[in-house]
C-alpha cells in the first residue's frame, strides 16, 4: 500500500479495510484498549487485543504478530491497529517490521477511521 493519497476507509484497498474492521471488532468484543489485525503473505488474518497480565504485557499489535508467527505465517503484508492513542508505539512497529520489513501499519481511531499509515519509508497522517 502506498503512503500517498487519502488514507480514509473509502480509499483503502478492500483487504486493508478488512483488517481495520477485524481490529475494531476484536477491541469492541473484549473492551480492550487496543485491537489489531495482521494479514500474512498467504492472505490469512490474525486478530488480537492488548494483553495486560501481571506477568505479561503485549500491545494488540504485538499479540497479533505473535499469533501469526505461532501459526506459522511466512511473513506479513499489512497490519492495522485500532486505538485511542495518538501514535503506534515503537515496540509494536518493530514487531511488525521484524517479520516484514516492508509491511505498512495502519493506525485507526476507535471509529475505524484511518488516521495514519506507517511504512518503513514514510508516514502519512490525516488531519482530523
Amino acid at each position: 500500500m502506498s503512503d500517498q493519497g487519502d488514507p480514509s476507509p473509502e480509499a483503502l484497498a478492500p483487504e486493508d479495510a478488512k483488517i481495520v474492521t477485524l481490529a475494531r471488532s476484536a477491541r469492541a468484543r473484549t473492551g480492550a484498549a487496543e485491537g489489531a489485525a495482521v494479514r500474512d503473505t498467504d492472505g490469512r488474518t490474525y486478530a488480537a487485543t492488548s494483553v495486560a497480565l501481571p506477568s505479561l504485557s503485549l500491545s494488540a499489535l504485538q499479540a497479533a504478530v505473535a499469533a501469526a508467527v505461532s501459526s506459522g505465517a511466512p511473513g506479513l503484508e499489512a497490519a492495522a491497529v485500532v486505538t485511542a492513542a495518538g501514535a503506534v508505539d515503537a515496540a509494536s512497529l518493530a514487531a511488525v517490521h521484524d517479520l516484514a520489513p516492508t509491511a505498512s501499519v495502519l493506525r485507526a481511531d476507535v471509529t475505524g477511521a484511518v488516521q495514519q499509515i506507517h511504512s518503513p519509508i514514510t508516514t502519512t497522517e490525516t488531519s482530523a
Side-chain angles (χ1 to χ4, degrees):
M1 160 176 259
S2 170
D3 281 333
Q4 299 175 5
D6 179 13
S8 67
E10 299 80 29
L12 290 177
E15 60 271 11
D16 290 339
K18 177 183 175 182
I19 61 172
V20 170
T21 299
L22 288 171
R24 187 172 181 228
S25 296
R27 182 184 179 276
R29 184 175 56 255
T30 64
E34 293 182 339
V38 297
R39 183 178 62 253
D40 73 13
T41 54
D42 291 334
R44 295 176 296 200
T45 56
Y46 307 86
T49 62
S50 46
V51 176
L53 300 173
S55 62
L56 177 66
S57 292
L58 295 172
S59 71
L61 200 47
Q62 289 170 322
V65 170
V69 169
S70 67
S71 296
L76 297 178
E77 289 182 348
V81 61
V82 173
T83 180
V88 178
D89 66 281
S92 296
L93 291 172
V96 170
H97 293 141
D98 282 348
L99 188 57
T102 61
S104 293
V105 178
L106 301 114
R107 179 180 58 85
D109 65 19
V110 296
T111 69
V114 175
Q115 301 297 308
Q116 194 169 31
I117 301 171
H118 295 270
S119 77
I121 301 167
T122 60
T123 298
T124 307
E125 191 164 341
T126 64
S127 55

